Amino acid sequence: MRKDNSEFITGFLSESGSFVRNKDYFAYAELDDIACWVIARGLDNDQEVESAELAAKSVLGYFLQRPSISRYRIRRYLQEAHRVLQAESHRVRLKASLTVIVTDYARVRYGVAGNTRLYQFRNGRLQWQSKDQSLAQQMVDGEEIAEDSLDQHEERHNLLSYLGTPNEFRPFISKKLPLYDGDVFLLATPGLWEKVNSAEMKDGLQEATDPETWIDTLEDVLLSKQEHVVQNYTAAAIFANKIFKTDPQKKWRIIKRVALILLVLALAGGGALLFKMKEAERIADAATGMFEQETAGDAFIAESDYPKALKAYSEARNAANIVKNKIQATLLAKKIRITQLIVDGDTAVKDEQFAKALDKYDKALKEMKGREDFNEPEILEKKEKTQSYVLVMQWKKEGDLLFEAQDYAGAEAYYQKARKLALETSFVTGEKELRTKLDEVASKKTGIDKEKKTLDGDKLEKQGDESYAAQDFEGAIQSYTQAQEIYQEIGVLEKVLAMERKVTKAEEKLNPPAAPPSAGAPAGQPPAAQVNQTAPVNQTAPINQAVPVNPVAPTYQPVPAPQVAPTNQAAPPAETAPETQPVQSPQANPPATANPTQEEAAKTP
């Protein structure tokens, strides 16, 4: 296989510049023995059909069906793409510039229609570049203007030939060009080559070691010009680090073999007859294959296998072109168009380009209207599911905005709603993203809740400290206990232990321990009240003066009140209390109520 014995590396970029839509398109395919690169620039303003993409895919599709490096085949690739644009020009005339390169890994041939360009560099120098099919290029060829002014001339976009032209389509096809190890190719649309000249391309190549580095350098050069308006720009670099080495003797062996066969046929006189027989057999096989492939495509449509259906319809149309059945080819082209739209829509959904997918499904539904060979309800279901995906992503975006604004409750509501719809519509990737978002919201809410509860616990602890300082020990215990519960809930163990110590300290202040009993007193019995030695026994208490009561004194028999003497007569001495009766201190007895007679006796000396 040639590809395994060579090394071709490709890098590219395609940007919309200052515009919303990118009208450029690049694609390539590398097979075992041959490869093809296509770059295109849309020249129309159609808002529904991307002419560059349609043209490039058409060229690449025909190449994959019949890969060849022959001039005839490359011209057919471009002509087929030209006819496709003409057939799809429903609202406006579709137009595109396009350049195609085909290589067998040893030689290369290219074709140009319009003003997309191809540059070849060898040993760090510009070897050659393709010619535009423009009025400015014609003026350069006629030596009317200098070649240096071509890239900026006002007629550089006045094209003489391009895909979709209403006039005769005349693309340029080069001869086969040999390749050497280290050759470098650059494909570019006008958005790049108008602002980056060949000298700047060469300078950027000097420091590049791979296609991506070179392409990035060219983009930096373009953007450094700081243009007010940047057009769509696309560039693709191909590094042919190692080419396939052919056997020089093999070519001559093939030539000799073909010459010998032709000589034998000529001598036999049946060369022309054999050719006609082979051609008739080929046409018959194509006619049979046309109907077989179309039937197979219809079966794939019924099974909703649109990629296989697209391939079958394409092969059927190729067979129709061989047998020159234009009616059948037109009908198959319509089926290919609808199937391609569905495939593109499914691909866009897979890539999460939902707006593009809806556009493709809408176009497919519009073109299959009234047809019975396509399942319209299935495409409607695809469209509705895609609309649900769009709504999921819209709600996710709303949630993201609220999350950034730290409105976590609002963000959670949007995420929950979006996740529910994603689950209902089997939007796997969207559901996974939303689950992650909900975890982030929960984490944020948990952190905020912990901070709030920490503040609440600190506040209660402070209240307890204030109550303790004011000797409100019950209030302090209550505050400390509530703070301890909060700290326990949020798992702050050191605070929990601190509150435990403060509660214990407050309880000790509130309920101090009892004093130990006095020596000689019976166990469980408080000591007797001490008798006031300075007060005389049975002395009458002063009038109107309360005598304090000892709450712990034992109960005794009251001492009889002294007899009051008559007026102006000395009171007899008080009767001595029996020895069996203990003498009670005046402070231990309740205050006696004085009457006038007793008061007079107390005043008598």
Side-chain angles (χ1 to χ4, degrees):
M1 297 184 195
R2 291 177 174 238
K3 186 176 185 298
D4 293 338
N5 293 287
S6 59
E7 183 181 0
F8 283 66
I9 303 175
T10 303
F12 70 95
L13 64 82
S14 183
E15 299 293 340
S16 59
S18 302
F19 300 86
V20 175
R21 300 181 63 194
N22 188 357
K23 302 289 287 184
D24 295 350
Y25 195 81
F26 171 75
Y28 70 101
E30 294 179 329
L31 305 181
D32 291 336
D33 296 317
I34 197 167
C36 177
W37 293 264
V38 186
I39 192 170
R41 164 67 175 166
L43 305 175
D44 55 77
N45 295 318
D46 194 297
Q47 299 297 314
E48 296 186 7
V49 179
E50 297 292 349
S51 53
E53 179 180 354
L54 183 60
K57 286 183 175 179
S58 298
V59 170
L60 207 57
Y62 287 114
F63 165 79
L64 292 173
Q65 293 171 15
R66 290 183 176 274
S68 174
I69 196 175
S70 71
R71 177 174 292 175
Y72 169 77
R73 279 295 166 197
I74 293 178
R75 189 183 302 276
R76 286 295 301 271
Y77 300 156
L78 295 175
Q79 288 173 343
E80 290 294 337
H82 169 63
R83 282 196 286 267
V84 167
L85 290 189
Q86 287 183 323
E88 297 301 325
S89 298
H90 303 302
R91 292 163 296 277
V92 299
R93 183 158 55 87
L94 302 179
K95 301 176 289 183
S97 289
L98 185 143
T99 298
V100 57
I101 312 175
V102 180
T103 180
D104 60 0
Y105 301 104
R107 298 160 299 173
V108 68
R109 193 193 297 272
Y110 70 92
V112 176
N115 62 350
T116 48
R117 288 187 183 177
L118 172 64
Y119 299 81
Q120 184 191 28
F121 295 84
R122 181 174 293 162
N123 298 323
R125 302 179 62 184
L126 178 64
Q127 187 77 3
W128 51 261
Q129 73 179 55
S130 62
K131 290 187 176 182
D132 302 339
Q133 292 187 308
S134 66
L135 180 59
Q137 182 68 60
Q138 190 179 70
M139 295 171 70
V140 171
D141 294 341
E143 298 184 353
E144 298 178 30
I145 62 173
E147 186 173 358
D148 294 343
S149 63
L150 173 63
D151 292 357
Q152 303 300 324
H153 197 274
E154 60 182 3
E155 298 294 347
R156 64 188 182 279
H157 296 305
N158 189 351
L159 303 183
L160 305 178
S161 182
Y162 52 87
L163 297 175
T165 178
N167 304 318
E168 184 179 1
F169 178 58
R170 293 181 177 180
F172 170 79
I173 310 298
S174 74
K175 63 181 181 180
K176 285 182 183 177
L177 302 170
L179 292 176
Y180 295 91
D181 291 347
D183 280 354
V184 175
F185 293 92
L186 176 67
L187 287 163
T189 57
L192 184 100
W193 61 252
E194 283 181 344
K195 304 302 177 184
V196 183
N197 58 46
S198 58
E200 292 169 325
M201 294 176 186
K202 183 179 66 175
D203 291 342
L205 182 59
Q206 297 292 336
E207 301 177 357
T209 57
D210 54 72
E212 289 80 6
T213 303
W214 188 31
I215 292 297
D216 291 342
T217 301
L218 297 181
E219 182 181 31
D220 292 340
V221 172
L222 184 152
L223 297 177
S224 68
K225 303 298 178 68
Q226 297 184 350
E227 297 290 334
H228 182 67
V229 176
V230 179
Q231 300 293 332
N232 298 162
Y233 59 92
T234 299
I238 307 162
F239 278 34
N241 295 333
K242 178 185 176 183
I243 67 167
F244 178 75
K245 301 297 190 297
T246 58
D247 182 4
Q249 299 298 323
K250 183 177 180 180
K251 178 180 179 181
W252 291 108
R253 287 198 298 268
I254 294 173
I255 292 175
K256 289 178 181 179
R257 186 177 298 174
V258 172
L260 181 61
I261 293 173
L262 291 176
L263 178 61
V264 171
L265 290 175
L267 292 174
L273 179 61
L274 179 62
F275 177 78
K276 290 182 179 179
M277 290 176 62
K278 290 291 185 182
E279 183 67 13
E281 183 180 356
R282 186 175 74 88
I283 292 174
D285 290 342
T288 303
M290 177 181 68
F291 292 107
E292 288 179 352
Q293 291 296 337
E294 184 178 9
T295 302
D298 293 340
F300 287 131
I301 289 293
E303 297 172 0
S304 300
D305 193 342
Y306 296 101
K308 289 184 179 179
L310 181 62
K311 182 179 179 181
Y313 287 149
S314 297
E315 292 179 358
R317 186 177 65 171
N318 291 337
N321 290 330
I322 292 174
V323 300
K324 298 181 180 180
N325 188 336
K326 293 185 178 179
I327 296 176
Q328 193 66 22
T330 303
L331 294 174
L332 286 166
K334 186 70 171 179
K335 288 186 175 183
I336 290 173
R337 167 69 177 164
I338 297 173
T339 309
Q340 183 68 62
L341 287 170
I342 298 172
V343 170
D344 290 345
D346 293 344
T347 303
V349 169
K350 187 180 296 184
D351 296 338
E352 296 189 8
Q353 299 177 357
F354 302 123
K356 182 178 180 181
L358 288 174
D359 178 64
K360 298 297 184 182
Y361 290 147
D362 284 335
K363 291 176 183 177
L365 288 168
K366 182 178 179 181
E367 297 203 13
M368 71 172 64
K369 200 72 175 178
R371 298 177 66 104
E372 297 181 357
D373 49 354
F374 286 89
N375 190 349
E376 185 176 351
E378 181 184 7
I379 309 306
L380 283 171
E381 183 179 352
K382 286 176 178 284
K383 178 183 175 182
E384 291 173 358
K385 182 176 286 190
T386 305
Q387 289 173 334
S388 297
Y389 293 170
V390 171
L391 190 57
V392 167
M393 299 309 294
Q394 181 179 345
W395 286 344
K396 176 181 172 293
K397 185 177 180 181
E398 293 290 339
D400 291 342
L401 293 174
L402 292 173
F403 185 88
E404 292 176 2
Q406 298 184 359
D407 182 0
Y408 301 118
E412 183 178 30
Y414 271 106
Y415 290 152
Q416 289 284 14
K417 183 167 60 172
R419 183 169 181 259
K420 180 180 178 182
L421 182 57
L423 288 170
E424 292 174 354
T425 55
S426 302
F427 187 10
V428 179
T429 57
E431 191 276 333
K432 184 178 179 181
E433 291 178 9
L434 288 164
R435 198 179 335 126
T436 302
K437 289 291 184 180
L438 285 169
D439 290 342
E440 292 178 5
V441 169
S443 177
K444 289 289 186 181
K445 290 178 67 177
T446 300
I448 291 174
D449 185 60
K450 184 174 182 179
E451 291 177 4
K452 181 179 179 300
K453 288 185 177 180
T454 300
L455 292 174
D456 292 341
D458 293 345
K459 184 178 179 181
L460 286 168
E461 182 181 0
K462 184 177 180 182
Q463 289 178 359
D465 293 341
E466 292 174 354
S467 298
Y468 186 90
Q471 297 187 359
D472 180 7
F473 302 118
E474 290 184 358
I477 292 171
Q478 183 178 3
S479 297
Y480 290 148
T481 303
Q482 292 175 357
Q484 185 181 35
E485 292 174 355
I486 293 175
Y487 291 140
Q488 183 74 39
E489 182 180 352
I490 61 179
V492 185
L493 183 59
E494 60 273 14
K495 285 286 189 177
V496 173
L497 297 176
M499 293 304 100
E500 183 69 29
R501 290 191 293 269
K502 288 190 176 186
V503 167
T504 301
K505 187 176 179 181
E507 286 178 344
E508 289 177 354
K509 290 290 185 179
L510 182 63
N511 298 311
S518 302
Q525 181 178 351
Q530 299 295 327
V531 178
N532 189 348
Q533 298 296 332
T534 57
V537 180
N538 295 328
Q539 183 178 349
T540 304
I543 305 302
N544 297 330
Q545 182 174 352
V547 179
V549 180
N550 189 346
V552 297
T555 305
Y556 297 99
Q557 291 293 335
V559 178
Q563 297 295 327
V564 181
T567 306
N568 298 326
Q569 186 176 351
E575 183 179 354
T576 304
E579 293 182 358
T580 56
Q581 299 295 330
V583 179
Q584 185 174 3
S585 172
Q587 289 83 354
N589 292 324
T593 303
N595 55 45
T597 306
Q598 291 175 333
E599 183 177 358
E600 184 65 28
K603 292 180 181 180
T604 303

